[in-house]
Amino acid sequence: MKVIYKVTDIVLLGFRSLTTHKVRSLLAILSILFGVWSVIAMLAINEGARYEAEQSLRQMGTDKFLIQSLKPPQDRGAAQQTGRALYYGLTRADHRRLSESLPGLLGEVAGHETRKFAQYGTRLVPVRVFGTDPSYLQLRGLRVAAGRFLSAADELRCRNVCVMTQSLARRLFGYEDPLISVVRLGGESFDVVGLVDTPGGSTPEVPADLVSNLVYVPASTERTRFGEYSILRTTGSFEAERVEVSQIIFHMADERAVLAGAKIAESILQREHESPDYEINVPLDKILQLQRQRRLWNIMFFAIASISLLVGAIGIANIMLASVTERTREIGIRRALGAKRRDITVQFLVEAVTLTTGGGLMGIVLGFVVPPIVQAVLKVTAILSPPMLMVPFLMAVAVGLVSGLYPAMRAARLDPITALRHE
Amino acid sequence: MKELVRLEHVHKMYPMGRSTVHALNDVSFVVREGEYVAVMGPSGSGKSTLLNLLGCLDRPSSGRYVLGGRDVSQLDDPALSEIRGQHVGFVFQSFNLISQLTVLANIEVPLFYQGLPRRERHPRSRELAGQVGLGNRLDHRPAELSGGQQQRVAIARALANDPLLLLADEPTGNLDSRTSMEILDLLDELSRRARTIIMVTHEDHVAGRAHRIIQMRDGQIHSDIDRQRPEPSG
Ligand SMILES: Nc1ncnc2c1ncn2[C@@H]1O[C@H](COP(=O)(O)OP(=O)(O)OP(=O)(O)O)[C@@H](O)[C@H]1O
Ligand SMILES: [Mg+2]
């Protein structure tokens, strides 16, 4: 009991001596506050960036991976030239072989893409026409915003129907209702039956202005109306390309099957293709990679922000040393009246820790305004999480202990007689 | 009366560069409970050194110091702090009050380090303040008090833990003669109530209040005159 009274009293004593130097204490608290705040801000911004990057990867789902045809580097000349058309990428044979040999495969869907112009009234917009099956909706993780996606009947009857991204619809139709409109694609008329959100994730070799200009049509329709050739207009010349399959999505049983399947697919394709005219895209892998990368960034940001905490710590140590010198006499008096060295140490440590804890608490409170401020000023997402608030706070407390320890011990080691004579 | 303080061949040396200062040189004496002792002597003769030693602020370089039957000459710092807190009361020439604290809080400091809960400290320090005539100044800061009043607070503080030994190093050194008288009257009063007092002073009329006068010279006891045996407490 006696000890508890004494400890709480000495803690109170430590608190009270802070109020006698209000401005000094406030400045010390501020230095810690900004340190804590900058650590929180850095972590929150980094977390926000990670979340945004992951969000687009997660859209397709971590239980899937995707293989895309890729135009090989021209200088290698490895791509097969058939006439004047550049022939490259995944083949129907690849598709069949992969579907048969991947363990844990739940489903798969392929698509073929051609570049066309979409025309509505006087508006002419370059688009990517993507011929695929109804199951693409689910496997690609698309969200239907209006109307419906392609159906089995569309596929069977080779209907001239299409689904397009909302942003494309806005560009083509403006304020008119796309779902009752007819759009012309490469000389054919198509009924618009649905709208989807623009899919996230990486789209290699697609010019930025084409990323969201996507039109989905039934695979049968696409094959019969447009074929496998794309005509690309480049400055001064025409260039023809032939690709059998543009993209295949594999839906696997679990994440282990995803990673294993991607490896098997890689080795099969390596055998069949002379040049790297395909790309295997594993969102799960990317997410893991992203997380590793972010962790590294976190450590770096953390280190940088910690420097401001360190500066705060030096400030606290400085203030505490000044306080010890200034109060040498008081220390002598207390020692003469029965204070043990430990009592003096605790008193000064409590002062230092109170300063930094106060700064830490205020830093946490101000930390809550990080996301809105960052959003408003930097236009990026910042996300807070409990550890992000706790870690800098605990660091602040630790800073108090560490920076207060030396001054406190110095105070405690003073010889009482010398201290009493001080001044 | 019971023996309270026993010094046996106590030496205190301070190293000063290559030489050493012999502040106390073979000092031996006994103080019994209830005695009122004045220590006199020229400046530098070792009076303060002796008092610090008696108050367990310091340890003898050699020799024995027995306080209340316990040999304290070789105790470590925490043990000495404990003894100071429990059994010794100090009154200094320069008062040595803590300037941020009120009168009441100053008187409480020794109780504080004894771990007395706040609700027991308050009435005790209030009562002590009343005893030294400062019952109406409880919430004042030392800077708001006269020198004599400050020294009264210091005496109240020295009595807070009901010490075996009250040590005063020139308690009237910073006071005018009228206030000095009041402080000395207060000490007389304490002595009458069987408090053991050892007081350092330069002035004969101050020493005249004590029952016994120890004269120091060059770290040694030059004379030790018992003027009057303390009356047994009633
Ligand atoms: N910490 C110390 N270091 C070195 N020498 C010291 C120390 N304390 C005291 N002395 C020396 O010890 C001797 C006795 O000092 P002390 O303070 O006891 O004298 P005093 O009798 O109290 O004198 P005064 O009447 O002036 O207060 C002096 O010569 C002093 O210089
Ligand atoms: Mg002296």
Side-chain angles (χ1 to χ4, degrees):
Chain A
M1 268 325 253
K2 237 173 109 170
V3 176
I4 294 172
Y5 283 132
K6 197 165 144 182
V7 168
T8 54
D9 276 334
I10 292 176
V11 168
L12 284 176
L13 180 69
F15 284 146
R16 215 170 307 123
S17 29
L18 290 175
T19 60
T20 57
H21 293 291
K22 289 195 186 67
V23 175
R24 185 197 283 181
S25 305
L26 192 73
L27 290 176
I29 285 174
L30 281 182
S31 69
I32 293 298
L33 188 159
F34 288 120
V36 167
W37 197 79
S38 59
V39 173
I40 291 177
M42 290 266 192
L43 293 177
I45 290 171
N46 193 32
E47 177 68 14
R50 187 191 65 79
Y51 176 80
E52 284 202 331
E54 250 183 51
Q55 198 56 15
S56 59
L57 288 171
R58 281 196 190 281
Q59 189 191 18
M60 205 169 94
T62 53
D63 55 351
K64 303 190 186 71
F65 72 96
L66 182 147
I67 307 180
Q68 278 167 302
S69 290
L70 203 63
K71 199 171 177 174
Q74 292 286 345
D75 49 302
R76 296 228 195 120
Q80 287 164 268
Q81 241 11 97
T82 47
R84 287 186 52 214
L86 183 67
Y87 178 47
Y88 68 88
L90 299 165
T91 62
R92 277 184 284 277
D94 288 334
H95 183 194
R96 204 176 326 106
R97 201 169 293 121
L98 291 171
S99 310
E100 284 159 3
S101 42
L102 295 184
L105 181 68
L106 296 183
E108 101 297 326
V109 63
H112 182 261
E113 184 183 311
T114 20
R115 304 273 169 89
K116 296 285 175 204
F117 279 90
Q119 191 196 346
Y120 178 76
T122 55
R123 261 168 249 164
L124 198 64
V125 178
V127 295
R128 294 149 62 203
V129 177
F130 197 82
T132 189
D133 298 335
S135 61
Y136 189 78
L137 175 74
Q138 197 246 319
L139 265 68
R140 184 63 179 86
L142 293 178
R143 201 183 70 85
V144 176
R148 62 174 178 86
F149 198 65
L150 305 170
S151 71
D154 296 335
E155 171 71 28
L156 204 67
R157 302 206 175 114
C158 265
R159 278 181 187 153
N160 276 18
V161 293
C162 72
V163 172
M164 63 177 68
T165 61
Q166 286 196 89
S167 56
L168 176 61
R170 214 167 299 124
R171 285 180 68 182
L172 272 174
F173 306 110
Y175 293 103
E176 293 176 47
D177 183 0
L179 295 185
I180 53 166
S181 304
V182 176
V183 65
R184 288 186 70 80
L185 291 171
E188 299 270 340
S189 296
F190 282 78
D191 289 330
V192 182
V193 297
L195 300 180
V196 293
D197 292 341
T198 304
S202 77
T203 32
E205 300 217 317
V206 176
D209 59 324
L210 277 181
V211 168
S212 61
N213 289 0
L214 251 173
V215 181
Y216 299 96
V217 299
S220 55
T221 312
E222 201 253 358
R223 199 162 44 242
T224 52
R225 304 283 186 272
F226 305 133
E228 292 170 349
Y229 288 87
S230 273
I231 311 296
L232 300 176
R233 258 175 274 253
T234 55
T235 34
S237 68
F238 288 97
E239 198 181 304
E241 283 184 7
R242 188 181 154 218
V243 174
E244 283 184 28
V245 178
S246 304
Q247 188 186 81
I248 315 171
I249 296 176
F250 296 96
H251 182 199
M252 310 302 285
D254 53 30
E255 298 194 341
R256 280 239 315 277
V258 168
L259 297 175
K263 279 222 182 64
I264 294 169
E266 170 89 71
S267 65
I268 290 175
L269 291 175
Q270 238 165 30
R271 220 174 327 121
E272 301 296 324
H273 292 244
E274 289 168 24
S275 63
D277 54 356
Y278 58 87
E279 186 198 53
I280 303 180
N281 200 323
V282 188
L284 175 64
D285 226 17
K286 286 234 174 89
I287 288 175
L288 295 178
Q289 203 182 327
L290 209 64
Q291 281 172 349
R292 275 194 295 275
Q293 203 178 324
R294 282 296 156 190
R295 226 175 342 253
L296 216 70
W297 278 103
N298 257 344
I299 292 171
M300 208 178 79
F301 278 151
F302 193 68
I304 294 171
S306 300
I307 291 175
S308 56
L309 259 182
L310 186 72
V311 172
I314 294 170
I316 298 278
N318 201 0
I319 283 171
M320 292 313 294
L321 279 176
S323 171
V324 168
T325 309
E326 194 174 277
R327 286 155 64 188
T328 300
R329 183 111 173 194
E330 178 192 330
I331 294 163
I333 297 170
R334 290 186 182 276
R335 294 279 279 133
L337 299 180
K340 298 198 172 83
R341 288 197 169 134
R342 203 183 37 203
D343 300 331
I344 303 291
T345 309
V346 171
Q347 181 186 340
F348 281 89
L349 261 189
V350 165
E351 276 186 40
V353 173
T354 306
L355 286 175
T356 60
T357 305
L361 281 176
M362 287 180 177
I364 284 185
V365 171
L366 280 187
F368 282 106
V369 305
V370 166
I373 288 181
V374 164
Q375 221 112 39
V377 178
L378 303 175
K379 313 274 183 238
V380 295
T381 313
I383 297 173
L384 289 176
S385 67
M388 230 178 269
L389 297 171
M390 275 322 284
V391 167
F393 173 72
L394 292 179
M395 275 174 70
V397 175
V399 158
L401 279 175
V402 171
S403 57
L405 193 63
Y406 173 68
M409 276 172 22
R410 219 161 98 151
R413 267 203 302 265
L414 285 171
D415 171 45
I417 299 172
T418 325
L420 276 169
R421 268 206 298 258
H422 190 260
E423 247 170 353
Chain B
M1 284 303 284
K2 240 175 75 185
E3 189 177 295
L4 183 64
V5 164
R6 169 176 286 272
L7 292 189
E8 288 174 2
H9 308 293
V10 163
H11 292 258
K12 183 72 196 178
M13 270 91 81
Y14 292 109
M16 284 291 280
R18 243 172 250 167
S19 63
T20 54
V21 180
H22 221 133
L24 291 179
N25 187 359
D26 195 22
V27 174
S28 304
F29 64 85
V30 169
V31 176
R32 293 172 190 285
E33 272 180 13
E35 272 193 285
Y36 187 178
V37 184
V39 179
M40 299 191 71
S43 185
S45 57
K47 305 182 296 293
S48 294
T49 306
L50 176 66
L51 216 66
N52 290 339
L53 228 126
L54 290 170
C56 292
L57 277 170
D58 212 346
R59 274 180 301 222
S61 304
S62 67
R64 238 159 71 87
Y65 171 25
V66 181
L67 174 64
R70 180 176 178 199
D71 187 347
V72 298
S73 33
Q74 298 308 324
L75 292 182
D76 61 3
D77 189 83
L80 289 178
S81 305
E82 192 75 43
I83 291 176
R84 286 198 298 272
Q86 280 177 359
H87 303 307
V88 182
F90 285 102
V91 178
F92 303 94
Q93 176 176 357
S94 49
F95 321 133
N96 274 340
L97 301 177
I98 298 175
S99 55
Q100 305 97 286
L101 300 184
T102 62
V103 165
L104 208 60
N106 263 292
I107 297 174
E108 272 179 29
V109 173
L111 301 173
F112 178 95
Y113 288 109
Q114 290 309 301
L116 220 67
R118 180 179 296 259
R119 61 172 186 281
E120 286 174 43
R121 292 201 306 255
H122 275 325
R124 173 116 182 96
S125 51
R126 208 178 290 271
E127 181 198 319
L128 284 161
Q131 274 178 29
V132 297
L134 287 174
N136 55 349
R137 292 278 194 279
L138 298 179
D139 295 322
H140 288 232
R141 312 255 160 190
E144 300 158 3
L145 300 177
S146 72
Q149 287 170 328
Q150 289 188 51
Q151 198 60 304
R152 285 161 186 273
V153 177
I155 290 172
R157 181 178 69 183
L159 296 173
N161 52 9
D162 193 18
L164 293 175
L165 197 56
L166 184 64
L167 300 173
D169 197 345
E170 303 191 40
T172 58
N174 278 7
L175 301 176
D176 61 35
S177 53
R178 204 178 62 85
T179 336
S180 295
M181 286 307 162
E182 289 170 13
I183 295 297
L184 291 172
D185 290 344
L186 192 56
L187 291 179
D188 278 353
E189 166 79 19
L190 294 173
S191 172
R192 256 199 305 285
R193 289 203 240 130
R195 185 74 63 189
T196 314
I197 304 173
I198 302 178
M199 169 179 72
V200 168
T201 180
H202 278 295
E203 294 167 275
D204 288 328
H205 78 273
V206 174
R209 300 288 192 111
H211 311 144
R212 175 178 168 192
I213 299 177
I214 295 179
Q215 287 280 352
M216 303 274 304
R217 206 142 295 169
D218 297 331
Q220 290 178 310
I221 293 182
H222 182 256
S223 67
D224 185 347
I225 301 159
D226 226 346
R227 301 170 65 236
Q228 142 197 12
R229 293 223 63 87
E231 289 162 35
S233 60

